[in-house]
Amino acid sequence: MSSDDFVIEHGLNPERMPNHIAMIMDGNGRWAKKRLWNRVKGHEKGAEVVREMVRTCRKLGIPILTLYAFSTENWGRPKAEVGALMLLLRRFLVSEQDELTRNNIRFNTLGQTEHLPEDVQVSIDIVKKLTRDNDGMTLNLALSYGGREEIIRMVKRIAGMVESGHMAADAITERTVADHLYTMGMADPDLLIRTSGEMRISNFLLWQIAYAELFFTRTLWPDFSEAELIRILKDFQCRERRYGRVN
Ligand code: FPP
């Protein structure tokens, strides 16, 4: 089935689909706590939902999906939880490489991946290389990612060019900034979804979400589903996006 057929079958308009969806996957810990389980169980179920979302977005023909999997602040969590998240990530990279390849999905990361454990970095490099020519969809995993860190990194790079005489300060534009972010060359998110009822951005894609439509759902990430994503997309398609202008 083509992605347009899938979109139409679910009552969506193929001409008003977002180019880039970003998701803040929140609520794994609370999902586990409600069941008196260890938080790691919540992350395990969360990883299954990651798989489902990648599949669904691919079926819907979404060009870019960006998932906030591990923030710079998440390093402050208990060592055992960080270790469990790294293990899940590595398992995901190993188990999904075939599916990513088969479904023509390019795997990419945003963030300071050099801070991740060596074995995770190796898995990331393998999957990136394996999928680099795929053009059906880009899956960005934000890992050891922080929006402010990304901005500082961009400022340092541009300042370096100015300092070395390769660029005039006056010539800096929005494009210059965008070209020095982890998302260089990608369209900005049109839609940002956060699960678990929290109404915060939590240092995610601070520059890129300037005009994104924001959706907050009370659903905890492990309960998030294809059906709910489709409901959110219907709502998104009804929103009028004016970018500060009048219609
Ligand atoms: C937030 O829930 C979630 C995270 C910090 C990590 C997201 C990780 C996954 C969805 C699973 C692993 C990911 C991949 C890509 C395999 P929380 O722990 O802050 O929940 P809480 O606010 O209820 O405590």
Side-chain angles (χ1 to χ4, degrees), residues 10 87 90 104 119 175 203 225 239:
H10 287 84
L87 189 66
R90 178 133 187 270
N104 195 18
D119 59 346
R175 177 74 196 268
N203 204 13
S225 61
R239 289 202 188 176

Side-chain angles (χ1 to χ4, degrees), residues 8-194:
I8 293 164
E9 189 182 285
H10 287 84
L12 291 161
N13 178 352
E15 273 156 31
R16 298 199 61 161
M17 292 297 284
N19 277 313
H20 184 169
I21 303 181
M23 297 186 184
I24 302 179
M25 311 183 284
D26 196 11
N28 294 350
R30 275 163 285 168
W31 183 90
K33 197 174 165 199
K34 274 204 325 203
R35 291 159 176 79
L36 306 178
W37 292 345
N38 187 294
R39 295 174 55 81
V40 173
K41 286 265 175 230
H43 295 315
E44 283 170 5
K45 182 68 176 45
E48 287 173 26
V49 178
V50 168
R51 268 182 212 114
E52 187 189 342
M53 280 308 118
V54 174
R55 278 189 201 143
T56 300
C57 287
R58 179 71 184 97
K59 282 190 286 180
L60 288 165
I62 304 294
I64 310 172
L65 172 66
T66 300
L67 302 174
Y68 204 3
F70 195 86
S71 70
T72 44
E73 291 73 27
N74 288 154
W75 290 113
R77 293 192 173 203
K79 231 174 136 182
E81 186 174 340
V82 172
L85 279 166
M86 293 302 142
L87 189 66
L88 272 176
L89 182 59
R90 178 133 187 270
R91 273 197 212 142
F92 174 85
L93 292 166
V94 173
S95 69
E96 295 312 286
Q97 28 179 287
D98 282 350
E99 175 145 352
L100 295 174
T101 312
R102 236 191 349 265
N103 287 325
N104 195 18
I105 299 171
R106 186 170 78 94
F107 174 75
N108 184 47
T109 56
L110 316 178
Q112 296 173 297
T113 48
E114 67 277 12
H115 293 174
L116 298 170
E118 196 73 30
D119 59 346
V120 177
Q121 289 189 45
V122 170
S123 299
I124 287 175
D125 286 345
I126 293 173
V127 184
K128 275 189 182 170
K129 276 201 195 100
L130 213 65
T131 63
R132 73 179 156 208
D133 296 325
N134 293 352
D135 58 5
M137 176 172 114
T138 296
L139 168 65
N140 289 320
L141 279 193
L143 292 168
S144 193
Y145 173 87
R148 288 186 172 179
E149 185 281 323
E150 180 181 40
I151 288 172
I152 291 170
R153 178 177 176 269
M154 168 273 292
V155 170
K156 283 183 181 163
R157 291 182 176 201
I158 298 176
M161 293 194 303
V162 172
E163 205 172 39
S164 63
H166 286 91
M167 178 163 210
D170 210 34
I172 298 171
T173 61
E174 287 193 11
R175 177 74 196 268
T176 322
V177 170
D179 283 350
H180 291 84
L181 298 174
Y182 292 117
T183 47
M184 75 196 87
M186 296 184 203
D188 287 339
D190 307 290
L191 169 58
L192 170 70
I193 301 170
R194 181 174 189 146

Side-chain angles (χ1 to χ4, degrees), residues 190-214:
D190 307 290
L191 169 58
L192 170 70
I193 301 170
R194 181 174 189 146
T195 57
S196 92
E198 309 291 350
M199 307 245 217
R200 290 189 288 272
I201 298 302
S202 300
N203 204 13
F204 192 41
L205 303 176
L206 297 178
W207 169 274
Q208 297 89 333
I209 59 164
Y211 288 101
E213 293 294 327
L214 309 181

